[in-house]
Amino acid sequence: MTELPTDPLDPIALREGLVAHGFIIPTGVKGGDGRTAKFEDILDRFDALVMRNARDDGAEPLHFPPIVARTLIERMGYLGNFPQLIGSIHSFFGDDAAARELAALADAGERWEHMLDPAETMLLPAACYPVYPVFSGLLPEGGRLVTVRNWCFRHEPSDEPTRLQSFRMREFIRAGAPEAVHEWRDTWLQRGLALLQGLGLPAHSDVASDPFFGRSGRMMAASQRDQRLKFEIVVPVISADRPTAVCSFNWHQEHFTGTFGIRRSDGATAHTACLGFGLERVTLALIRTHGFDLARWPDDVRAQLWP
Ligand code: ATP
Ligand code: ZN
């Protein structure tokens, strides 16, 4: 068996190892490789471990497709904050003659995309987005807790095996009284850290910020850090100096409750927070830490994932 790349700064060698050892299937799309059954098994087993860990919380599972209304992306403020990551769905709305022209252009190797128009949908950038409109109106006493798992799209093509364009998140979303939401976030930060460290990952948590776009975005990121609104749990996967975020915790305060008219049962101000495990990233962190040969992973790690 080829050993793991000894240089932790070598993302290309890690990617080659993942292909050679039958974890990912190259497709030619940056950040859009296929996954084998062996990769998927680790990912699903980790997700199942998270769900076992969270069982007593009684989060309500909801399921959404990986597309959202264009209007939801607008209302979430995504266009101003992250235009560089957008994935928009376009389709063909023309007549017979236009359809023949479209096909002829493609056959001739010419550009044809200008003949498409935006559909009413966009690709989902974060698993929690469809949940906030569901919370609109009065929350029940004690608030709500929902969990979702979904494919997310972000236009950040990269050769790094940890930066994908299409990946899955397991998210938990809490809405309720400000103190309760804040406390929930803090509890999960400790729980998430314990869970990942319990799998032998050299994980630690840190204050973080989102990749807000442009000059004003840098100010927003600084303010987000100052207010300690975002935390990440990070693990070295392709770099020791810049460890990879495998789980993120976002405290939105009144941001989405204002936008979506979410109020507490007594009409008072509600807050929301969410946390998301990047399922591919955790899987890659496990492989990077414990090796390409699953049979040689530590017994206690195997026992937790394959109980
Ligand atoms: P980063 O700073 O690495 O770009 P982020 O802070 O934008 O990540 P979030 O928006 O908080 O990430 O997303 C939640 C989780 O989704 C992250 O903790 C990470 O595990 C995962 N994730 C985010 N972007 C990607 C990506 N491009 N490929 C794979 N997983 C990702
Ligand atoms: Zn979220």
Side-chain angles (χ1 to χ4, degrees):
M1 280 252 166
T2 321
E3 284 309 308
L4 282 165
T6 44
D7 176 6
L9 294 167
D10 192 348
I12 305 303
L14 177 61
R15 190 169 176 283
E16 282 168 3
L18 290 164
V19 175
H21 290 84
F23 289 101
I24 62 176
I25 309 155
T27 59
V29 178
K30 283 182 194 290
D33 286 328
R35 287 76 154 156
T36 63
K38 192 158 77 164
F39 185 96
E40 287 296 294
D41 189 36
I42 305 169
L43 185 146
D44 282 331
R45 297 294 183 153
F46 173 74
D47 188 35
L49 177 64
V50 171
M51 294 308 282
R52 281 201 300 283
N53 218 277
R55 191 164 42 205
D56 291 345
D57 298 356
E60 181 188 349
L62 297 182
H63 303 270
F64 296 94
I67 54 171
V68 283
R70 198 166 280 277
T71 49
L72 181 62
I73 295 292
E74 293 164 7
R75 294 179 79 192
M76 295 296 286
Y78 207 77
L79 304 178
N81 290 339
F82 311 109
Q84 77 281 19
L85 302 178
I86 281 175
S88 179
I89 299 179
H90 287 57
S91 193
F92 174 71
F93 297 86
D95 58 13
D96 280 3
R100 282 194 295 277
E101 192 186 334
L102 175 78
L105 284 172
D107 282 346
E110 289 174 36
R111 297 273 41 105
W112 48 271
E113 294 88 344
H114 60 277
M115 298 196 66
L116 304 183
D117 284 299
E120 65 281 16
T121 45
M122 295 183 72
L123 295 174
L124 179 71
C128 60
Y129 278 23
V131 175
Y132 304 105
V134 175
F135 286 165
S136 286
L138 290 187
L139 293 167
E141 188 90 44
R144 273 180 89 168
L145 174 64
V146 161
T147 184
V148 289
R149 169 174 158 168
N150 215 335
W151 283 93
C152 301
F153 174 89
R154 294 184 187 178
H155 188 245
E156 42 185 359
S158 167
D159 289 321
E160 294 176 10
T162 49
R163 189 160 298 281
L164 306 173
Q165 294 201 68
S166 190
F167 57 94
R168 278 155 292 177
M169 274 189 213
R170 161 63 64 188
E171 283 213 53
F172 294 88
I173 305 99
R174 179 85 169 93
E179 320 76 60
V181 169
H182 189 235
E183 191 188 311
W184 174 84
R185 198 272 313 261
D186 284 350
T187 304
W188 251 113
L189 188 56
Q190 294 315 315
R191 192 197 262 180
L193 203 52
L195 197 149
L196 292 161
Q197 288 172 344
L199 288 171
L201 298 177
H204 71 269
S205 65
D206 208 351
V207 180
S209 61
D210 284 311
F212 292 110
F213 184 77
R215 199 177 305 160
S216 60
R218 282 197 287 279
M219 282 160 62
M220 289 178 71
S223 147
Q224 189 184 28
R225 274 177 184 278
D226 288 348
Q227 296 183 68
R228 302 171 73 80
L229 298 181
K230 185 181 180 93
F231 283 86
E232 283 175 348
I233 296 178
V234 296
V235 178
V237 183
I238 54 163
S239 161
D241 314 334
R242 291 182 305 112
T244 300
V246 295
C247 186
S248 304
F249 304 75
N250 293 292
W251 182 25
H252 320 113
Q253 298 182 315
E254 292 172 43
H255 196 68
F256 297 141
T257 53
T259 304
F260 296 101
I262 305 165
R263 296 185 314 283
R264 287 161 65 192
S265 48
D266 59 1
T269 305
H271 277 193
T272 61
C274 72
L275 70 94
F277 288 95
L279 296 177
E280 278 80 3
R281 284 196 178 170
V282 173
T283 305
L284 292 166
L286 285 165
I287 297 170
R288 179 70 187 83
T289 306
H290 299 309
F292 289 126
D293 185 357
L294 304 190
R296 286 165 58 183
W297 283 19
D299 287 343
D300 68 308
V301 173
R302 292 184 52 84
Q304 291 178 71
L305 292 173
W306 291 276

